[in-house]
Amino acid sequence: MSKVNVSAVWDRSTEFLGDNIATVMAIALPFIYLPQLVQSALQPLATSPAIGWIVQLVTLAMVIVGLWGQLQLLALALDPARPAAHARETATARLIPVIIVSLCLLLGVFVLLIPVLVALVAAGLDYDAVVRASTTGATVPVPAGLTASLALFILFYCLALLVVMLWVGVRLLLVNAVIVEERRTLGAIARSIAMTRGHTFVLIGLALLYGIVSFVAVAAAQSVFGFVIGLILGGDGPVTVATVLTAVVVAGVATAFVLLITSFVAHFYRAVRAQESADAA
């Protein structure tokens, strides 16, 4: 199959967002931005394990709402001619299959992490400390039995795993688009791998660039803006006017990047499908 011009796809992706700004915002504000805002605003409240679990449950609910919003945007970008109501119906119908595939992929990641978990447990990892850290953001103490050789094994294994996950991640870029447009479930994994064949290194470069830029932008919004607004407004306690305003800005920046990548995925899928049809003709 001939290769798709990724730069042209990126241009069409940004054009779609600009040409359909009203419809996009009608989806993005309540279903992508608001969940992001709630997650950012609630995070400082996790000051104890009990409250931490509540925050995590609310966060999970917001993640699902945000995923539903992304699927609406994806359905709309896949076919801009369809009305927003149809995009919403499509997203609702394909939400469960997307969650199923996502859980299967997360299970695969967990399996790959088993050697690291076994090494940490052998070194005396404090399970209770891990639970506290997951709910309150506390620091997990270094296991007392962690030797230099074991630490090197964990380091190199994780580095290798990052490389593998980056490669797999770009090959699975089109999974959600396939689930939405072709009504597949687990079969979307193999289909995405087939559709991204020949574009791996270009997509890896794009993924690295996107990851770096989005991370820097969100981190800057959270640290720099949060620091400045904190100095101006002050306030005591886990939730203040400063933390809420920071959450507003961080959620806005994160939402912008979600819109960009979702639109890109849809238009890259459309470009690959068009190229498949051209090659078959």
Side-chain angles (χ1 to χ4, degrees):
M1 185 181 72
S2 302
K3 291 185 178 181
V4 168
N5 187 331
V6 175
S7 296
V9 171
W10 185 259
D11 291 339
R12 289 194 293 271
S13 303
T14 55
E15 288 173 4
F16 162 78
L17 294 175
D19 294 342
N20 300 272
I21 188 65
T23 307
V24 168
M25 286 298 102
I27 295 172
L29 288 177
F31 304 121
I32 299 178
Y33 174 75
L34 186 58
Q36 292 272 3
L37 175 59
V38 172
Q39 292 178 62
S40 299
L42 288 182
Q43 200 60 43
L45 290 175
T47 55
S48 68
I51 297 177
W53 283 113
I54 296 174
V55 170
Q56 285 197 348
L57 289 175
V58 175
T59 298
L60 177 61
M62 292 299 100
V63 167
I64 294 174
V65 173
L67 178 59
W68 184 51
Q70 291 177 49
L71 292 179
Q72 290 182 54
L73 179 62
L74 183 62
L76 183 67
L78 286 168
D79 184 6
R82 73 179 74 182
H86 186 273
R88 188 175 299 113
E89 292 173 0
T90 301
T92 302
R94 306 311 297 162
L95 179 60
I96 297 302
V98 167
I99 291 175
I100 290 173
V101 172
S102 299
L103 290 175
C104 290
L105 294 176
L106 284 175
L107 179 61
V109 173
F110 176 77
V111 170
L112 292 175
L113 285 173
I114 286 178
V116 175
L117 297 175
V118 170
L120 289 173
V121 170
L125 179 67
D126 187 346
Y127 175 77
D128 292 334
V130 173
V131 173
R132 287 194 300 272
S134 66
T135 55
T136 64
T139 302
V140 179
V142 177
L146 185 63
T147 62
S149 59
L150 195 57
L152 283 175
F153 163 75
I154 293 174
L155 173 62
F156 286 113
Y157 183 88
C158 289
L159 289 176
L161 186 58
L162 282 175
V163 174
V164 171
M165 289 179 65
L166 178 61
W167 184 88
V168 173
V170 299
R171 299 303 301 270
L172 298 180
L173 180 69
L174 299 179
V175 163
N176 286 356
V178 173
I179 294 174
V180 169
E181 194 68 9
E182 301 182 17
R183 300 297 191 271
R184 303 188 188 211
T185 304
L186 293 178
I189 295 175
R191 175 65 171 147
S192 177
I193 292 174
M195 294 184 77
T196 53
R197 185 176 296 118
H199 301 89
T200 304
F201 292 106
V202 174
L203 291 176
I204 286 176
L206 184 64
L208 289 173
L209 179 62
Y210 174 86
I212 292 171
V213 173
S214 59
F215 174 79
V216 170
V218 172
Q222 190 161 20
S223 59
V224 177
F225 181 84
F227 176 74
V228 172
I229 201 69
L231 286 178
I232 295 173
L233 298 178
D236 296 321
V239 177
T240 63
V241 174
T243 61
V244 172
L245 289 178
T246 302
V248 168
V249 174
V250 170
V253 174
T255 298
F257 283 100
V258 170
L259 297 183
L260 283 172
I261 193 61
T262 304
S263 180
F264 175 81
V265 167
H267 286 84
F268 185 70
Y269 172 86
R270 292 175 60 187
V272 174
R273 285 291 299 269
Q275 191 61 57
E276 287 177 340
S277 299
D279 291 342

